[in-house]
Amino acid sequence: MLVDFNDLPETSRVWIYQANRSFTLDELEEIEKKIKEFITQWTAHGADLKAGYEIKYKRFIAIGLDQGMNQATGCSIDASVRFVQELEQTYDVDLMDKMNVSFKQGEFVAYKPLADFKKMAKNRSVSPNTIVFNNLVTNIAEYRINWEVPAKDSWHNRFLN
């Protein structure tokens, strides 16, 4: 069951997929259509899942699931992973690699391998105030408060010393 992402409760589970590049406007239009189709038919053991999505900065896909209605199961989570893998293949983009870091450089969103981010921190090319994207948040409340934060307030902080 597709609902507006902003209408999901703050306790809703969230998954964030970061792309290694920005999507084009045409790709975004197609991807939104595919996400809507997927969420509309997404179920757990035949029961509808109440979910929504949003795409930020032309490169982050956030999928939220209200587990108060029905909880995700292993099979439904597997289905969502397969869906994201299909997006990766269709658009020749990396969405699943958690060993990469996205951060802001002015209004531009940079995407670097973790090793490069560590080097940038060591060289002071990124600072404690650099805005990073903490894709490890687990629910919508955390997503709204702790997703886009200064590096000093995220797990990224460990590389800044």
Side-chain angles (χ1 to χ4, degrees):
M1 170 191 319
L2 177 65
V3 298
D4 187 291
F5 188 86
N6 293 316
D7 291 339
L8 290 168
E10 297 219 325
T11 56
S12 297
R13 189 166 176 183
V14 70
W15 293 270
I16 301 166
Y17 302 98
Q18 71 179 359
N20 59 330
R21 64 170 176 83
S22 295
F23 293 111
T24 67
L25 292 177
D26 287 342
E27 287 174 331
L28 283 170
E29 195 174 301
E30 292 173 16
I31 289 167
E32 287 209 47
K33 184 179 178 195
K34 290 175 190 253
I35 294 172
K36 287 176 183 176
E37 288 171 6
F38 171 75
I39 291 176
T40 299
Q41 57 81 35
W42 196 22
T43 61
H45 298 296
D48 282 341
L49 293 174
K50 184 178 176 183
Y53 75 96
E54 70 178 8
I55 299 175
K56 301 278 259 189
Y57 302 107
K58 298 181 185 175
R59 68 166 57 217
F60 296 95
I61 300 171
I63 297 176
L65 172 65
D66 178 359
Q67 297 206 109
M69 180 175 160
N70 288 306
Q71 294 211 3
T73 61
C75 293
S76 60
I77 292 170
D78 288 349
S80 69
V81 169
R82 278 193 305 276
F83 170 72
V84 172
Q85 289 171 330
E86 288 170 14
L87 291 177
E88 285 183 315
Q89 290 177 346
T90 302
Y91 298 100
D92 191 26
V93 67
D94 183 1
L95 293 164
M96 304 284 282
D97 191 340
K98 303 292 186 203
M99 293 306 294
N100 294 308
V101 177
S102 290
F103 57 97
K104 283 188 173 178
Q105 288 185 314
E107 287 306 304
F108 177 74
V109 175
Y111 177 91
K112 300 282 184 192
L114 185 57
D116 289 355
F117 182 82
K118 288 178 185 178
K119 287 177 194 167
M120 291 178 75
K122 188 175 184 177
N123 297 336
R124 303 211 188 295
S125 299
V126 293
S127 77
N129 294 320
T130 298
I131 301 299
V132 296
F133 297 92
N134 177 9
N135 298 319
L136 302 178
V137 296
T138 59
N139 62 46
I140 289 182
E142 288 180 357
Y143 172 72
R144 290 193 174 122
I145 297 167
N146 294 319
W147 175 61
E148 188 174 343
V149 294
K152 66 184 176 198
D153 297 331
S154 176
W155 62 267
H156 303 81
N157 186 44
R158 71 182 82 157
F159 306 120
L160 300 173
N161 300 324

